[in-house]
Amino acid sequence: MIDQLYRKAVLTVAGQKTIENAVRARGWGMAQRFVAGETPQTAIQAVHDLKKDGIMANLDLLGEFIESPAQCTQFADNVITMLDAAHADGITPYVSIKLSSVGQGKTEGGEDLGLTNARRIIRRAREYGGFVCLDMEDHPRVDQTLAQFRTLHGEFGGQHVGTVLQSYLYRTEKDRGSLDDLTPNLRIVKGAYLEPETVAYPQKADVDAAYRRLVYAHMQAGNYVNVATHDESIIHDVQMYALAHGVSKDAFEFQMLYGIRRDLQRNLAAAGYRVRAYIPYGRDWYPYFSRRIAETPRNAMFVLRGMLKG
Ligand code: FDA
């Protein structure tokens, strides 16, 4: 409850234009903790830096309020530019996309534009041996995202496309089971949107319990799992579960956001676990930065301390 109030308060303040202008003018230094840079080149540099610590990367081009079909297609082109740049730099690209950013829900040429553009992105990623994860958005998009994931999985195979399930939704355990026939590569998250009680657990304890059940069930079914959380107690329990059930360290990976719990990321990698950081980059960094601040007062303190230092 307090978490929700804090999140709402920060997002309301951050949404004000004067605050945005002030942070945009002075805040880039602090935002750099969470955002790798504004260009593909700065993101690629972050990939190389993380590699020194044995941490893999997942690149995410930031973009919000991409409205027109032309903007969606331009956004997809920008993702493809990143794939080309990564490949040219010797990196096997792993990227995440939001289907809404590339046109989901808009019809063009008789087909959903999100599907058309995702296909273009995955086709290019496959050429380079890469992987594309379809992020999960708010609950009205879940059905279409899962249906499009199934289509794309059929066309490109599970080595090149995966998606995300959110443990806060009541429906998710059923969704997970319904995908087992694909042996899919899934990222399990708690869920980042403000969802109503009609569709999502209001209590954090229920979200956490569902999270554990989902990860264990996905491992048990013999599928590759991306355990995307900063929750140390869950991470510990997953390690214990894997040990107890003979799940090898290369059958799953831990995923965390760039700049968050860097100590934990390094320690897990040093202990031989696969670890991947989700690296956001791009000019449109402000809304993403605001959401990270809204997630925990610890991040707000980090920024405040930075601002006070001048
Ligand atoms: P939780 O919020 O319970 O926090 C556990 C611990 O981690 C606490 O101690 C907390 O303070 C700390 N912590 C959590 N977030 C922190 C932060 N930002 N800074 C510092 N400490 C933090 N969501 C979604 O709906 N769709 C998606 O596709 C994705 N994709 C995705 C990819 C990756 C790699 C990650 C890590 C997360 C996502 N998410 C997401 C977001 C996810 O749903 C969730 O909102 C955040 O991961 C925060 O929840 P935690 O699981 O970390 O635990």
Side-chain angles (χ1 to χ4, degrees), residues 2 33 35 39 59 80 105 127-128 140 147 154 160-161 169 188 206 220 275 292 306 310:
I2 290 174
R33 165 75 181 258
V35 180
T39 63
L59 291 160
I80 290 171
E127 262 175 60
Y128 300 147
H160 300 292
V161 61
L169 296 183
I188 310 291
D206 293 324
Q220 197 79 107
V275 180
R292 299 292 74 81

Side-chain angles (χ1 to χ4, degrees), residues 73 75-88 91-95 97 115-133 152 155-157 159-161:
T73 296
F75 188 84
D77 290 344
N78 293 343
V79 176
I80 290 171
T81 300
M82 160 53 92
L83 294 172
D84 293 342
H87 174 70
I91 294 168
T92 303
Y94 187 122
V95 299
I97 56 169
L115 186 61
T116 310
N117 278 326
R119 199 175 266 136
R120 291 199 298 127
I121 292 169
I122 300 166
R123 189 176 298 123
R124 187 65 63 89
R126 184 177 62 178
E127 262 175 60
Y128 300 147
F131 187 84
V132 179
C133 182
L152 294 165
E155 293 175 14
F156 296 99
Q159 311 94 296
H160 300 292
V161 61

Side-chain angles (χ1 to χ4, degrees), residues 7 34 58 98 134-137 164 166 168 187 189-193 204 208 211 228-232 255-257 260-261 276-278 291-293 295-296 298-299:
R7 188 185 290 199
F34 305 109
N58 173 3
K98 290 188 173 38
L134 310 175
D135 280 351
M136 192 56 80
E137 302 177 64
V164 180
Q166 299 153 321
Y168 64 10
R187 179 196 306 157
V189 301
K190 291 186 188 175
Y193 298 80
K204 182 168 162 41
D208 291 355
Y211 191 98
T229 182
H230 312 94
D231 189 325
E232 274 196 272
Q255 296 190 345
M256 290 180 226
L257 302 181
I260 293 174
R261 295 305 313 270
R276 191 180 303 276
Y278 186 99
R291 283 198 297 276
R292 299 292 74 81
I293 302 302
E295 247 152 24
T296 157
R298 212 186 314 158
N299 288 346

Side-chain angles (χ1 to χ4, degrees), residues 230-251:
H230 312 94
D231 189 325
E232 274 196 272
S233 115
I234 289 184
I235 290 171
H236 173 263
D237 289 353
V238 169
Q239 290 173 304
M240 292 303 112
Y241 183 91
L243 264 180
H245 293 82
V247 179
S248 75
K249 281 182 177 169
D250 56 12

Side-chain angles (χ1 to χ4, degrees), residues 56-119:
M56 301 175 291
N58 173 3
L59 291 160
D60 171 49
L61 174 58
L62 295 170
E64 312 257 340
F65 310 115
I66 301 166
E67 299 292 352
S68 69
Q71 285 172 320
C72 293
T73 296
Q74 179 60 55
F75 188 84
D77 290 344
N78 293 343
V79 176
I80 290 171
T81 300
M82 160 53 92
L83 294 172
D84 293 342
H87 174 70
D89 214 70
I91 294 168
T92 303
Y94 187 122
V95 299
S96 285
I97 56 169
K98 290 188 173 38
L99 286 170
S100 65
S101 305
V102 295
Q104 188 185 61
K106 298 175 171 60
T107 306
E108 216 176 69
E111 190 180 57
D112 186 80
L113 182 61
L115 186 61
T116 310
N117 278 326
R119 199 175 266 136

Side-chain angles (χ1 to χ4, degrees), residues 175-208:
D175 286 338
R176 197 215 61 75
S178 75
L179 292 170
D180 265 346
D181 61 305
L182 303 178
T183 55
N185 176 320
L186 292 183
R187 179 196 306 157
I188 310 291
V189 301
K190 291 186 188 175
Y193 298 80
L194 289 171
E195 297 287 14
E197 280 187 29
T198 45
V199 299
Y201 295 109
Q203 301 298 331
K204 182 168 162 41
D206 293 324
V207 178
D208 291 355

